[in-house]
Amino acid sequence: MALFTKTALTSVAALTLLGGTAFAGELVINTDTSDPAPKAAFEALIAGFEAENPDVTVTWNLFDHEGYKTSIRNFLTADAPDVANWYAGNRMLPYVNAGLFEPVNDVWEENGLSESLASAEGSMTIDGKIWGVPYTYYQWGVYYRKDIFAEHGIEAPATWDDFLAAGETLKANGVTPITIGTKYLWTAGGVFDYLNLRTNGYDFHMALTKGEVAWTDDRVRATMANWQTLIDGDFFLENHAAYSWQEALAPMVQGDAAMYVMGNFSVEQFKVAGLDVDTQLGFFQFPVIDPSIPVAEEAPTDTLHIPSGAKNKEDAKKFLAYLARADVQSEVNKTLGQLPVNKNSEVADDVFLQAGAEMLSNTTGGIAQFFDRDAPAEMAKAGMEGFQEFMVKPERLDAILERLEKVRARAY
Amino acid sequence: MNARRKFDQKKIAPWLFLAPGMLMFLIYVIIPVFQSMNISLYDWDGLGEKTFIGMDNYVELFDDEAFYTSLKNNIIWLVLYMLAIPAGLFIALFLNQTVFGIRLYKSLFFFPFVISQVVVGLVFSWFYDPSFGLMNVMLNFFGIDSIAVLADERYVTYGIIAAGLWPQTAYCMILYLTGLNAVDPEQIEAGRLDNAKGWRMLWYVVLPQLKPATFIAIVVTVIGALRSFDLIAIMTAGGPWGSSRVLAFYMYEQAFSEYGFRMGYGAAIAVVLFLIMLVYIAFFLTKMYRDERG
């Protein structure tokens, strides 16, 4: 998922180092945390670890975000580092299946992580084994222009009807209700996730992304019908297929659109784009569609893993244990501007993070990763492409669902 | 004795000189072609075990809407890209004069070919932008509604081809400018005496002399059309919903992109693309062979 700005940071990866053999006490870490905040967070993390473990020298190879997705396949097979970052859920399945990740159940047991990281244990478990340590996640929801809502006397909607009414009021005042840029597809996946979680609930959503339910199922159609209500009502930004998610920020910053179904990383981008986030930007939970369904949320989790080819697994496990600690996660996430997974950690003093932490801690329905992390790659790509097409050509629903069903038959 | 040795040397020398090139060509072109054909018979994610599945990838391919979309777009690319040749020719004819500063104009016209395709893609993306793009600002000025070229499946491929024609025309222009230098002024003079003017002069006197330039222009344009990848990746990433894909891009998506890693399927697409190119390469080689034999 291309969540962060695709900075063209050339990979700082010292390939020569990858070729060298690590001696005891040298820990090689590969990450793609090259954006400013993640980079600073990892610098501090590594410095902290080295201070506590003076006998370990950390070699840190920093990759750029996009390149990493290909590089990880090469370095895991060819010359594995001792620690590498990746994502929870189905996204790590190919590497687990290929035997490229090392199970770390012992790290979890020795440090009582099943308790402190309980919320993420499910998404880290495949075949009864735990494959890494989660260190950060962030909420999704609706980010909206507080000032525009106030100007037109709209309250942040909690129910579907209120949500639709809010949209009507906005339209009557010449404001597009929802901005979105679907050029790179995943933004449409976020909208689908929420509509499906709210229409059919977490269990159905997981069954669908795991390929256990047909795409032509009536329950999927119910989700799409709700979506069609928004499309037919002109809720979404016109020509959204021409914009990236960053480009779609512009209408909202200019006041031509009022809401954005997004992840918390967008707050930083709103700030950069010149919005006063204290007075102009607000956050509300995606509205409830069917009150009988337990509310589930979307919160993608980032993780660290030990490759099975690692040379210094002993120190790698020390590093994972260090990263799992409550105080360490507090610090890392303060710099990242995201939420710590450890339940004893402190959430940074930030309105949006506090709102997210509160929302997620009250979530009873389940926490989804994201469409392209829960569904396997092939299904994810076809699915998100179908969603984009549906948002422009809703009359093709049948053809789209049948196509997705065909992909499902093959992809699982 | 001596004569015989010389004869052998003459025979061996060309092969010795060719050897390094042939070796590289074998390692980097010929062998990978057969490797691709081999991989296309497997189901392989690039990491785990390869599973032999025979022709299954091809069976799937021929039942794949996205494949036909890509194929259709490839043909549109091939046909419309040819516009670069007459366009290049006319710009070359226009610039082939001696006035003050003509070198500057020539360089300016050649400029789009010098800049990166990525930059061309970005410039045209902005040009087409539905809210602030120059094209739509102009359309709105004449009272026409904005057209989101890159978000509309009807226009998107043509929009990208138009962007591609910009540097390609410049390339053809430079080929023809060089060719025009070699046009024999005596023949032009002779044509004049016979009262040839304008179109007839161009068609019967100038163009036949530009035949080598035209041939090269066709070659590079066909290759350019089949290679079209960077512009699509930059401008639409194959979208909206995959309607601007071409085979090269689809192959990349299936084999190497974030959601891909179906090496076998990607290889099958590559083989089909190779077969299409083969038709053209065969034509090209026979023509070269015939020309060389005279």
Side-chain angles (χ1 to χ4, degrees):
Chain A
M1 191 167 28
L3 289 187
F4 293 96
T5 338
K6 292 176 182 177
T7 23
L9 261 176
T10 356
S11 63
V12 191
L15 286 170
T16 43
L17 286 171
L18 293 176
T21 35
F23 49 89
E26 191 192 342
L27 187 68
V28 182
I29 302 178
N30 287 6
T31 72
D32 68 339
T33 48
S34 50
D35 287 324
K39 191 176 165 195
F42 265 81
E43 272 166 5
L45 176 73
I46 289 167
F49 177 77
E50 280 182 323
E52 282 191 24
N53 300 277
D55 54 323
V56 183
T57 324
V58 175
T59 306
W60 177 32
N61 302 315
L62 192 59
F63 291 70
D64 93 282
H65 199 61
E66 292 306 308
Y68 190 75
K69 291 165 190 163
T70 335
S71 323
I72 188 172
R73 301 172 63 90
N74 298 334
F75 68 62
L76 283 183
T77 42
D79 194 0
D82 302 309
V83 174
N85 77 317
W86 196 237
Y87 311 101
N90 225 318
R91 211 62 202 283
M92 65 178 178
L93 187 66
Y95 304 113
V96 171
N97 285 344
L100 293 171
F101 280 163
E102 181 92 355
V104 291
N105 293 49
D106 49 345
V107 178
W108 281 63
E109 275 157 31
E110 282 160 27
N111 299 284
L113 302 185
S114 297
E115 208 224 329
S116 57
L117 306 179
S119 62
E121 190 176 344
S123 56
M124 296 307 298
T125 308
I126 293 173
D127 296 336
K129 287 182 189 149
I130 305 173
W131 299 94
V133 166
Y135 64 96
T136 184
Y137 68 154
Y138 53 87
Q139 83 271 18
W140 272 65
V142 184
Y143 291 81
Y144 73 107
R145 281 287 297 265
K146 253 191 324 204
D147 52 336
I148 297 180
F149 269 49
E151 189 188 329
H152 303 301
I154 312 168
E155 295 280 322
T159 67
W160 187 240
D161 288 337
D162 288 349
F163 184 68
L164 295 180
E168 292 305 327
T169 315
L170 288 169
K171 274 191 292 174
N173 289 289
V175 179
T176 305
I178 306 172
T179 185
I180 187 169
T182 59
K183 182 172 174 185
Y184 295 104
L185 307 175
W186 56 267
T187 45
V191 175
F192 172 81
D193 280 352
Y194 265 113
L195 288 166
N196 199 35
L197 287 170
R198 292 289 184 269
T199 313
N200 297 307
Y202 178 79
D203 293 334
F204 177 82
H205 186 65
M206 285 297 129
L208 183 69
T209 49
K210 284 199 182 98
E212 291 156 11
V213 184
W215 279 90
T216 45
D217 193 285
D218 279 342
R219 287 167 291 180
V220 178
R221 285 181 192 278
T223 300
M224 300 314 255
N226 284 329
W227 201 344
Q228 184 144 15
T229 313
L230 301 181
I231 297 164
D232 291 347
D234 292 328
F235 269 54
F236 293 103
L237 184 71
E238 219 186 331
N239 298 323
H240 52 77
Y243 301 117
S244 69
W245 82 268
Q246 291 101 327
E247 286 168 326
L249 290 167
M252 188 154 152
V253 172
Q254 288 156 4
D256 298 328
M259 297 185 272
Y260 206 164
V261 182
M262 253 300 143
N264 196 57
F265 51 86
S266 60
V267 173
E268 188 57 38
Q269 299 290 326
F270 277 119
K271 250 184 239 173
V272 172
L275 216 55
D276 180 1
V277 292
D278 295 326
T279 58
Q280 292 181 301
L281 192 68
F283 169 79
F284 64 83
Q285 191 170 22
F286 196 91
V288 172
I289 295 178
D290 181 346
S292 68
I293 284 167
V295 174
E297 297 298 334
E298 188 130 280
T301 309
D302 292 355
T303 53
L304 284 192
H305 304 266
I306 303 179
S308 50
K311 293 173 196 83
N312 188 358
K313 287 180 188 164
E314 197 187 322
D315 287 332
K317 285 179 178 172
K318 250 190 238 169
F319 189 80
L320 290 198
Y322 175 78
L323 177 75
R325 253 165 46 189
D327 56 324
V328 176
Q329 293 216 347
S330 305
E331 278 312 308
V332 165
N333 283 288
K334 234 167 246 172
T335 322
L336 283 175
Q338 296 187 168
L339 298 168
V341 184
N342 191 312
K343 66 173 184 184
N344 303 317
S345 295
E346 276 169 42
V347 176
D349 185 23
D350 170 280
V351 199
F352 298 99
L353 288 179
Q354 293 287 350
E358 201 201 320
M359 180 179 84
L360 292 172
S361 61
N362 292 323
T363 298
T364 50
I367 291 182
Q369 290 298 316
F370 195 79
F371 189 73
D372 70 354
R373 297 191 190 181
D374 289 324
E378 197 185 349
M379 189 72 245
K381 169 82 177 168
M384 296 190 302
E385 220 166 78
F387 302 153
Q388 187 199 36
E389 184 170 2
F390 176 71
M391 286 182 76
V392 183
K393 306 270 177 191
E395 68 275 9
R396 294 189 193 159
L397 178 63
D398 289 321
I400 294 169
L401 291 183
E402 265 155 43
R403 194 170 69 223
L404 295 189
E405 181 57 18
K406 204 162 103 182
V407 175
R408 182 182 79 95
R410 196 179 54 232
Y412 294 93
Chain B
M1 277 311 269
N2 218 358
R4 192 190 159 90
R5 245 182 55 205
K6 245 185 197 156
F7 180 69
D8 276 351
Q9 272 179 348
K10 262 190 186 167
K11 232 181 166 177
I12 292 169
W15 291 106
L16 281 179
F17 281 115
L18 278 173
M22 282 170 73
L23 193 71
M24 291 296 155
F25 194 67
L26 196 71
I27 293 174
Y28 290 107
V29 180
I30 305 288
I31 295 175
V33 165
F34 287 99
Q35 276 177 330
S36 295
M37 289 180 178
N38 183 39
I39 292 174
S40 75
L41 303 177
Y42 288 87
D43 180 21
W44 185 39
D45 68 354
L47 284 176
E49 286 294 297
K50 282 194 242 181
T51 329
F52 184 80
I53 52 166
M55 299 302 282
D56 279 10
N57 279 327
Y58 293 94
V59 173
E60 188 190 329
L61 198 59
F62 289 114
D63 186 36
D64 183 350
E65 281 173 50
F67 169 70
Y68 290 105
T69 312
S70 315
L71 195 62
K72 190 189 91 190
N73 284 338
N74 253 131
I75 293 166
I76 299 177
W77 268 89
L78 269 176
V79 173
L80 290 185
Y81 228 46
M82 289 300 155
L83 289 176
I85 297 167
L89 173 64
F90 286 111
I91 296 176
L93 291 171
F94 173 66
L95 290 179
N96 190 39
Q97 46 187 311
T98 37
V99 291
F100 176 72
I102 193 69
R103 284 189 179 196
L104 177 69
Y105 300 131
K106 282 181 186 171
S107 333
L108 287 178
F109 272 95
F110 190 55
F111 180 66
F113 184 71
V114 180
I115 56 179
S116 155
Q117 291 261 308
V118 175
V119 177
V120 173
L122 274 178
V123 167
F124 269 80
S125 300
W126 292 331
F127 176 68
Y128 290 138
D129 186 288
S131 45
F132 62 77
L134 190 60
M135 186 187 89
N136 285 310
V137 171
M138 287 194 294
L139 285 180
N140 293 343
F141 180 78
F142 291 107
I144 305 167
D145 277 343
S146 295
I147 302 168
V149 176
L150 298 181
D152 191 314
E153 56 181 353
R154 287 170 298 175
Y155 310 128
V156 62
T157 297
Y158 302 102
I160 304 174
I161 294 173
L165 281 176
W166 190 42
Q168 191 65 31
T169 303
Y171 194 9
C172 292
M173 175 203 82
I174 211 79
L175 290 173
Y176 278 120
L177 272 179
T178 331
L180 283 170
N181 277 337
V183 166
D184 184 0
E186 282 181 17
Q187 286 191 31
I188 306 275
E189 197 56 35
R192 274 222 182 98
L193 289 175
D194 287 338
N195 215 11
K197 264 189 270 184
W199 284 108
R200 295 174 70 84
M201 173 74 108
L202 178 66
W203 190 255
Y204 293 106
V205 183
V206 179
L207 267 189
Q209 296 187 66
L210 287 176
K211 212 175 148 198
T214 310
F215 184 64
I216 302 229
I218 292 175
V219 171
V220 295
T221 306
V222 169
I223 292 174
L226 288 173
R227 278 197 330 182
S228 50
F229 172 87
D230 6 21
L231 284 175
I232 296 167
I234 287 296
M235 294 174 74
T236 63
W241 52 92
S243 50
S244 64
R245 280 190 191 113
V246 294
L247 288 175
F249 189 78
Y250 192 40
M251 171 187 76
Y252 159 80
E253 266 191 329
Q254 290 294 331
F256 304 113
S257 80
E258 190 178 352
Y259 301 113
F261 297 119
R262 298 183 66 204
M263 297 299 171
Y265 198 59
I269 301 169
V271 170
V272 172
L273 187 59
F274 172 73
L275 292 178
I276 296 172
M277 284 198 182
L278 201 61
V279 173
Y280 162 72
I281 292 168
F283 163 78
F284 174 66
L285 284 183
T286 36
K287 167 129 180 75
M288 273 235 301
Y289 185 67
R290 257 196 253 128
D291 283 357
E292 291 212 342
R293 280 177 38 162

